[in-house]
Every structure is written in structure tokens, then in C-alpha cells.
């Protein structure tokens, strides 16, 4: 649909001028940013998931899947090797010693706070980056991480890196795809678990595979149908990974919100992860 429109504009420039004013969805065609049709709860033109209450809710839903709690702030000091081939998983968003994001977090933090308790592990973190190895990290790194998590500056650094690498790019991309608040969360949770890479099983690969089967709302497609396909593809990918066979964060959480028609991710909200029920009533 989008490709056909672009071809028409290229071939018939005079007609393009007219289309600019009458075709729904084209910039300036009566549905400008801020018009009623693009605003409101959950719509991509509004604050969406970036609104403070929605962002808080997003962290709670992620924490229910990552740490089995709604108290996401309790996860700053979390560190464990969960046997997924990515080394230590740590912190509020699951930074990993084997996937580069934990290394970048510590490097950026050390630049601003050179005397922190994790700085001495930077050579080891660079050495194990891209592997599941603990070489140079054991036995002291887990304790050092937990100790540093008691420092307000390190908690702030985790927040900033979460937003820079995961939250902000996911919300921005979802809005460009025409997705409302639920869709923005679907992208965010996928980016947290699968990483912001371009491989077939990373976030952008999942998105590319979904777009091959359905138009995004920005392309004129149905938001619900597109998200349903995206979640299908993500579920299949999770099932293929030994550490992610449990797909309840999709099946009984995000899919439930979608089938309930809660595209604005509005509360009260109830969902299940790993068989445990969570509720947010505010």
C-alpha cells in the first residue's frame, strides 16, 4: 500500500499535490499531529507509554516476568547466571555480561564515577563480552554488583541506560509504526528480552518478520492484527530458545491485554506470568 502510494507520487507530481490534502494518513491531509483522531489514551500521537504512570506500569509488567515482582526497583541489585548462554544477568532490566549492554553500562558509569566498586572488573568484562564465561569475574563480581546497587548514582545509571538502549527506542519505533500504548509496551518488552539487534531473533528481526505478514497501522493495517502476528512470531522465537520456553509473558499477559481490546494499556489491569497473578488497580 505504501509502496504504491510512493510510486504514484513519483510518477504524477501534480496529482501528488492534490493527494497531499485529501489522502488520510499523509502529512497535512487533515490528520495533522495533535488532531483528535491521533490523540487520546493509547494513541501514538499522545505521550503513550512515556507518560509517567504508563512508564511505571511498564516497569512493573516487565518486572513481573523478569523478577517475579511488581517492585521493579528491588531489581537493581539482582545478579545471577540463569543458564541462557549470556553469562551473568543483572540489574533492573537484565543487563548481561555476554551481550555487551552490561559492559557499556559499567563503562559509562565509570566515566562519571571512576572510583566505583565495579571499575576494577572492566578488563574482565571486556574479555568475556560475547560469551557466557565468568573468567575474571568470580568470585567477587556478584557481591560488587550488589554493593554498588546500594549507590544512588548507580541506580540512576541503570535507569538512564535502560531508557537509552531499550525504552526510548522501543517507544519511538512503535509510534512511527502507528502503535498505541499497548503496542509500545509490546515492542519494549520484546526489545528487553531479545535485544535491539537486527538478527532474525532480535527485536528488529522480529519486527521485520511481522511486517512481512501484516501492514503496521502506519501503513494502513489493523493495529490488533499486526500486534497479534508480532506476538505469534515472538512466541515461536521464545519456544526455540532453551531459556525462554515459558511464554506466559506473551500468552497470559500481553495477548490477554490485546484480546481484551485494551490498546491503551489502561488500569485496572490483571495478568499472569509463570502461573502467578498480578494486579494493578490504580
Amino acid at each position: 500500500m505504501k509502496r504504491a502510494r510512493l510510486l504514484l507520487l513519483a510518477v504524477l507530481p501534480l496529482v501528488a499535490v492534490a493527494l497531499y490534502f485529501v489522502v488520510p494518513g499523509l502529512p497535512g491531509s487533515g490528520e495533522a499531529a495533535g488532531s483528535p483522531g491521533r490523540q487520546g489514551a493509547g494513541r501514538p500521537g499522545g505521550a503513550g507509554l512515556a507518560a509517567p504512570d504508563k512508564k511505571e506500569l511498564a516497569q512493573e509488567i516487565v518486572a513481573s516476568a523478569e523478577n517475579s515482582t511488581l517492585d521493579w526497583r528491588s531489581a537493581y541489585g539482582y545478579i545471577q547466571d540463569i543458564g541462557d548462554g549470556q553469562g551473568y544477568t543483572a540489574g533492573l532490566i537484565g543487563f548481561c555480561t555476554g551481550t555487551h549492554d552490561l559492559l557499556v553500562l559499567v563503562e559509562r558509569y565509570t566515566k562519571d564515577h571512576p572510583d566505583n566498586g565495579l571499575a576494577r572488573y572492566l578488563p574482565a568484562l571486556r574479555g568475556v563480552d560475547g560469551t557466557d564465561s565468568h573468567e575474571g569475574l568470580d568470585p567477587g563480581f556478584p557481591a560488587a554488583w550488589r554493593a554498588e546497587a546500594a549507590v544512588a548514582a548507580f541506580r540512576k545509571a541503570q535507569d538512564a541506560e535502560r531508557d537509552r538502549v531499550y525504552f526510548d527506542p522501543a517507544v519511538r519505533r512503535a509510534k512511527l509504526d502507528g502503535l498505541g500504548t499497548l503496542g509500545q509496551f509490546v515492542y519494549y518488552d520484546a526489545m528487553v528480552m531479545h535485544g535491539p539487534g537486527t538478527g532474525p531473533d532480535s527485536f528488529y528481526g522480529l519486527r521485520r518478520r511481522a511486517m512481512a505478514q501484516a501492514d503496521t497501522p502506519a501503513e494502513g493495517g489493523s493495529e490488533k492484527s499486526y500486534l497479534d502476528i508480532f506476538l505469534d512470531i515472538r512466541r515461536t522465537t521464545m519456544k526455540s530458545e532453551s531459556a525462554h520456553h515459558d511464554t506466559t509473558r506473551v500468552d497470559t499477559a500481553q495477548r490477554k491485554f490485546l484480546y481484551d481490546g485494551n490498546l491503551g494499556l489502561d488500569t485496572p489491569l490483571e495478568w499472569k506470568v509463570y502461573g502467578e497473578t498480578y494486579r494493578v488497580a490504580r
Side-chain angles (χ1 to χ4, degrees):
M1 188 183 306
K2 179 187 293 184
R3 287 188 295 271
R5 183 182 299 160
L6 291 174
L7 179 61
L8 179 61
L9 294 177
V11 175
L12 300 174
L14 293 178
V15 176
V17 174
L19 286 175
Y20 181 85
F21 292 99
V22 301
V23 176
L26 283 178
S29 62
E31 192 177 50
S35 66
R38 301 298 288 177
Q39 299 295 323
R43 301 313 307 157
L49 202 67
D53 60 330
K54 298 299 186 185
K55 187 173 183 179
E56 179 72 15
L57 178 61
Q59 309 319 314
E60 292 173 331
I61 301 172
V62 169
S64 73
E66 293 285 325
N67 304 103
S68 297
T69 181
L70 293 180
D71 181 13
W72 61 270
R73 292 175 179 84
S74 68
Y76 287 113
Y78 168 81
I79 182 166
Q80 183 180 0
D81 188 329
I82 62 175
D84 61 354
Q86 297 177 352
Y88 280 119
T89 296
L92 83 167
I93 210 66
F95 303 103
C96 295
T97 56
T99 60
H100 196 62
D101 57 351
L102 190 148
L103 170 61
V104 172
L105 166 64
V106 176
E107 285 179 334
R108 291 170 69 91
Y109 178 58
T110 300
K111 182 178 180 180
D112 294 331
H113 305 276
D115 296 327
N116 75 81
L118 299 175
R120 67 183 182 272
Y121 290 100
L122 277 171
L125 288 171
R126 294 184 183 110
V128 303
D129 190 27
T131 77
D132 63 355
S133 173
H134 294 184
E135 185 175 355
L137 299 176
D138 289 341
F141 182 70
W145 179 278
R146 287 188 286 268
E148 202 64 30
V151 179
F154 187 52
R155 297 194 297 272
K156 184 178 180 180
Q158 289 193 45
D159 289 341
E161 201 66 6
R162 171 203 62 200
D163 290 351
R164 186 183 73 86
V165 179
Y166 299 102
F167 187 83
D168 292 347
V171 171
R172 183 167 56 248
R173 181 66 264 173
K175 286 187 175 184
L176 290 172
D177 285 348
L179 300 173
T181 304
L182 174 59
Q184 293 162 31
F185 176 77
V186 167
Y187 273 20
Y188 173 50
D189 190 66
M191 196 172 284
V192 166
M193 172 174 278
H194 302 280
T198 58
D201 295 334
S202 295
F203 169 74
Y204 287 102
L206 299 178
R207 174 178 171 269
R208 185 169 58 250
R209 289 158 60 190
M211 292 178 69
Q213 297 185 36
D215 285 340
T216 66
E219 297 173 312
S222 160
E223 184 171 15
K224 185 173 181 179
S225 296
Y226 171 75
L227 289 175
D228 204 20
I229 287 173
F230 184 92
L231 291 175
D232 279 343
I233 291 170
R234 185 179 173 196
R235 186 179 190 277
T236 299
T237 298
M238 290 173 66
K239 285 291 188 182
S240 71
E241 301 170 348
S242 59
H244 298 144
H245 279 172
D246 189 308
T247 59
T248 51
R249 68 196 292 162
V250 168
D251 302 333
T252 53
Q254 295 170 56
R255 185 93 70 180
K256 179 182 184 299
F257 307 151
L258 181 64
Y259 286 1
D260 286 346
N262 192 355
L263 297 177
L265 203 60
D266 298 316
T267 56
L269 205 62
E270 180 177 306
W271 69 97
K272 290 183 179 180
V273 182
Y274 313 135
E276 185 172 350
T277 299
Y278 297 89
R279 298 179 182 87
V280 174
R282 63 176 178 278

